[in-house]
Amino acid sequence: MGRIRHQDLRNSPACPVEGTLELIGGKWKGVILYHLIQQGTLRFNELRRKMNVTQRMLTNQLRELETSGLIDRKVYAEVPPKVEYSLTERGRSLEPIILALKRWGDDNILAIGYVAPGTC
Amino acid sequence: MGRIRHQDLRNSPACPVEGTLELIGGKWKGVILYHLIQQGTLRFNELRRKMNVTQRMLTNQLRELETSGLIDRKVYAEVPPKVEYSLTERGRSLEPIILALKRWGDDNILAIGYVAPGTC
DNA sequence: GTATATAGTGTCGAAAAAGGTACCATGAGG
DNA sequence: CCTCATGGTACCTTTTTCGACACTATATAC
């Protein structure tokens, strides 16, 4: 996913834009962050039920967010397993950006020509 | 590229986040928008010189931004060719988001562990 | 004994995104 | 005549991403 290639970081005062986008730009990362902002803490399958995504992809995206230091993964030694995800402080610092993305999308995406088939 | 698949728009109150990210999430789109915010108007090769990118990719990303209604393409009937790119009103409405992405990146990317090799 | 829920992992293949190289038209400058 | 600059396009290959599907372990409930 958003592995940053070093070349991206050269030659451009704008690269932080690029870098930030790579961190939150994976197929499901924005949505995961959004849900965690709304709910605070969510278990794996709670997240899964909110987003039509396979286990594999969800695990994958969560791991990358964790590696980036944006979310926290708390495992309870129980059976059946229980794992809770929440935002780290750094993750929370993205809140204004995520919410701005959502607001902009609400205001503009339909106008641009994408049509939601059912509900959105 | 940022083609939105309809499935993404179902089942999630967060999909505008996803949608917006797809519009600005192409490999070079964030940077292009950033430069246009800074400079107002730029010619094709001016942009190219600011970003280590091939002609092919730059054309591609510019076309997609144009299709999304975020940038304007003005062709002058001259030789050698002259084409100017600038933000549309809708594009300008992304300014706070792009600048927030840049600021967040400046504050966080190095801390997260990416190391700029030379300058950045 | 069987089914259920949870939070995963592994493998595979298709599709999408990105990148490399070559090529084009044209007018100006020498 | 040759060369340069501009803003592309065409063709092809590589890399990355996405998703389908099968499989796992374990405690609990029936």
Side-chain angles (χ1 to χ4, degrees):
Chain A
M1 190 84 8
R3 215 77 221 120
I4 286 190
R5 277 142 299 193
H6 279 170
Q7 210 186 18
D8 300 344
L9 294 171
R10 281 198 308 267
N11 305 329
S12 173
C15 55
V17 177
E18 192 55 35
T20 305
L21 279 173
E22 290 203 36
L23 288 181
I24 66 177
K27 184 73 169 53
W28 301 99
K29 290 183 191 171
V31 187
I32 292 171
L33 293 172
Y34 177 79
H35 286 305
L36 291 177
I37 286 169
Q38 298 301 306
Q39 315 287 324
T41 293
L42 287 168
R43 297 180 60 175
F44 184 83
N45 273 356
E46 288 176 330
L47 267 171
R48 194 151 122 69
R49 279 186 290 263
K50 288 179 181 296
M51 309 154 42
N52 199 316
V53 61
T54 61
Q55 286 182 326
R56 199 187 165 298
M57 276 306 293
L58 182 54
T59 303
N60 188 293
Q61 302 281 290
L62 287 168
R63 289 286 188 283
E64 291 189 5
L65 288 170
E66 195 192 354
T67 300
S68 305
L70 299 179
I71 66 172
D72 211 52
R73 178 168 178 268
K74 187 168 180 186
V75 184
Y76 294 83
E78 298 178 8
V79 160
K82 175 175 174 185
V83 180
E84 284 183 346
Y85 292 93
S86 57
L87 295 171
T88 60
E89 183 141 351
R90 196 184 297 283
R92 268 191 299 279
S93 72
L94 280 172
E95 180 169 333
I97 291 179
I98 300 290
L99 296 182
L101 288 171
K102 164 145 169 53
R103 243 175 291 117
W104 194 93
D106 283 332
D107 294 347
N108 294 277
I109 287 199
L110 291 183
I112 280 178
Y114 294 125
V115 179
T119 60
C120 177
Chain B
M1 198 90 0
R3 213 78 218 118
I4 285 191
R5 277 143 300 193
H6 280 170
Q7 210 186 20
D8 300 343
L9 294 171
R10 281 199 308 267
N11 305 328
S12 172
C15 56
V17 177
E18 192 56 33
T20 305
L21 279 173
E22 291 203 36
L23 287 182
I24 66 177
K27 184 72 170 51
W28 301 99
K29 291 183 191 170
V31 188
I32 291 170
L33 292 173
Y34 177 78
H35 286 305
L36 290 179
I37 285 169
Q38 297 301 305
Q39 314 288 323
T41 294
L42 287 169
R43 297 181 60 176
F44 184 85
N45 273 355
E46 288 175 330
L47 267 170
R48 194 151 122 70
R49 278 187 290 265
K50 288 179 181 296
M51 309 153 44
N52 200 317
V53 62
T54 61
Q55 284 184 326
R56 198 189 166 299
M57 278 305 295
L58 182 53
T59 302
N60 190 295
Q61 302 280 293
L62 288 169
R63 289 288 189 282
E64 292 190 3
L65 288 170
E66 195 192 356
T67 299
S68 305
L70 299 179
I71 65 173
D72 211 53
R73 179 167 178 268
K74 187 168 180 185
V75 183
Y76 294 83
E78 297 179 8
V79 161
K82 176 176 174 183
V83 180
E84 285 183 345
Y85 292 93
S86 56
L87 296 170
T88 60
E89 184 141 349
R90 197 184 296 284
R92 267 192 300 278
S93 72
L94 281 171
E95 180 168 332
I97 292 178
I98 300 291
L99 295 182
L101 288 170
K102 164 146 168 54
R103 242 175 289 117
W104 194 93
D106 282 334
D107 294 348
N108 293 275
I109 286 198
L110 291 181
I112 280 179
Y114 294 125
V115 179
T119 60
C120 175

